[in-house]
């Protein structure tokens, strides 16, 4: 089964995370498939809007921690290579698309999954969806494009508490904070997100590109933040707190942080 699928019709590219059996956790196969799809979309002049959606109960629960534990056991220093190899190009690739991008979020939207959703221009969430950074819960920081994006969207005070406390917020809270654009009833959310995407695919594509360019120009550069995250992530991946927290998650027990 393909980890991600891409269809293009009537100007709309629909990119689907298709690993529902693992809550769409991001393993190498899924990250690579998403990256290939985004590159294909960027090169396809027929695409006038993008819908990013996911199969199953959860949009995306972030990095696959089973895969990450294997990478840590081989080399903590290399375990975060995936950030430069997959996450940075994936997120900045989506953010750089000139056409409007809509994300349809249901269930858990966590960690790099949150980064993926917030790379879209318009997030339409089911009312039972939830949003969390999750990074500190496994001894990581999110000193990345995600941090900058959160500060831009919800301010430094909320971002600091959101990440430090590892808070999980509801779709209503995310809407109230200005993190997402729309909330719809659970049984209407997928159709609502698709309708928004189809409306954008039939709209003034050149004007939309100009709007995205103007908004991007008003924000700090994403690449610099992502590179900073790359620098910050490697030492953290080698801490006992991080390796212990990943092991605890996989063993379904609470981690005990020692500060080292
Ligand atoms: C302009 C754009 C800006 C953005 C730019 C920046 C973006 C780049 C970011 C940088 C990325 C760096 C690298 C990535 C890091 C991360 O993603 S760190 C976060 C990793 N994810 C987690 O830590 C989440 C862990 N999961 C949970 O906390 C919970 O599962 C949940 C998500 C809160 C859901 O809870 P619940 O509904 O209770 O379900 P569970 O029973 O916990 O889980 C269901 C099954 O799914 C499995 N699972 C869940 N999460 C993961 C995971 N991450 N990896 C692997 N497996 C996972 C879980 O084990 C369960 O499995 P079963 O027991 O077999 O049912």
């Amino acid at each position: 089964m393909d980890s991600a699928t891409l269809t293009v019709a009537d100007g709309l590219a629909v990119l689907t995370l298709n690993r529902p059996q693992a809550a769409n956790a991001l393993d190498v196969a899924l990250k690579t498939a998403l990256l290939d799809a985004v590159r294909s979309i960027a090169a396809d002049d027929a695409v006038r809007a993008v819908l990013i959606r996911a199969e199953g109960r959860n949009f995306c629960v972030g990095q696959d921690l089973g895969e990450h534990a294997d990478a840590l056991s081989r080399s903590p220093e290399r375990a975060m290579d995936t950030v430069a190899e997959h996450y940075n190009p994936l997120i900045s690739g989506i953010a750089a698309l000139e056409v409007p991008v809509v994300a349809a979020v249901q269930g858990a939207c966590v960690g790099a999954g949150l980064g993926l959703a917030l790379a879209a221009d318009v997030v339409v969430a089911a009312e039972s969806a939830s949003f969390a950074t999750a990074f500190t819960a496994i001894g990581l920081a999110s000193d990345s494009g995600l941090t900058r994006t959160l500060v831009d969207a919800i301010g430094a005070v909320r971002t600091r508490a959101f990440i430090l406390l590892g808070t999980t917020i509801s779709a209503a809270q995310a809407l109230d904070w200005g993190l997402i654009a729309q909330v719809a009833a659970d049984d209407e959310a997928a159709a609502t997100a698709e309708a928004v995407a189809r409306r954008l695919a039939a709209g003034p594509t050149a004007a939309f590109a100009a709007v995205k360019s103007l908004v991007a120009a008003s924000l700090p550069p994403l690449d610099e933040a992502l590179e900073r995250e790359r620098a910050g992530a490697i030492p953290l991946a080698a801490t006992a707190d991080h390796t212990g927290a990943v092991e605890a998650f996989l063993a379904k027990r609470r981690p005990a942080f020692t500060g080292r």
Side-chain angles (χ1 to χ4, degrees):
M1 177 169 68
D2 292 337
S3 296
T5 61
L6 173 62
T7 60
V8 180
D10 304 323
L12 179 63
V14 179
L15 176 54
T16 301
L17 283 75
N18 189 31
R19 197 176 176 231
Q21 71 283 8
N24 293 308
L26 294 159
D27 63 355
V28 170
L30 178 50
K31 289 179 281 190
T32 303
L34 290 172
L35 197 44
D36 290 347
V38 169
R39 286 169 174 156
S40 168
I41 290 168
D44 187 342
D45 293 339
V47 174
R48 298 175 60 191
V50 181
L51 172 64
I52 299 175
R53 58 180 295 280
E55 292 294 344
R57 191 164 61 87
N58 295 299
F59 175 74
C60 176
V61 292
Q63 172 61 43
D64 184 309
L65 293 180
E67 177 184 84
H68 186 58
D70 293 345
L72 282 171
S73 64
R74 290 192 299 274
S75 161
E77 292 70 30
R78 301 298 310 273
M80 296 305 281
D81 282 358
T82 184
V83 176
E85 189 178 345
H86 303 107
Y87 287 112
N88 290 2
L90 173 59
I91 297 299
S92 43
I94 295 170
L97 290 173
E98 294 184 353
V99 296
V101 181
V102 178
V105 173
Q106 74 277 5
C109 180
V110 175
L114 178 62
L116 188 59
L118 296 185
D121 302 296
V122 178
V123 177
V124 178
E127 62 189 358
S128 63
S130 62
F131 299 83
T133 59
F135 293 101
T136 55
I138 58 167
L140 287 180
S142 66
D143 178 15
S144 66
L146 183 58
T147 311
R148 273 285 182 83
T149 299
L150 288 173
V151 170
D152 292 336
I154 63 177
V157 172
R158 279 181 172 151
T159 295
R160 200 177 287 120
F162 190 33
I163 300 175
L164 288 176
L165 300 175
T167 318
T168 296
I169 62 172
S170 66
Q173 183 73 75
L175 182 69
D176 180 59
W177 279 8
L179 195 59
I180 64 176
Q182 195 171 345
V183 176
D186 284 358
D187 60 356
E188 297 172 359
T192 301
E194 183 174 340
V196 170
R198 290 198 180 281
R199 175 181 151 196
L200 291 167
T205 310
F208 291 155
V211 167
K212 289 192 63 166
S213 173
L214 288 168
V215 173
S218 72
L219 295 174
L222 186 60
D223 287 344
E224 172 204 336
L226 285 176
E227 279 316 301
R228 209 173 59 245
E229 187 278 338
R230 174 93 172 91
I234 294 176
L236 292 175
T239 62
D241 276 349
H242 175 56
T243 52
V246 172
E247 287 164 8
F249 175 79
L250 295 173
K252 299 195 184 295
R253 56 179 164 78
R254 295 180 64 80
F257 293 113
T258 62
R260 288 193 305 278

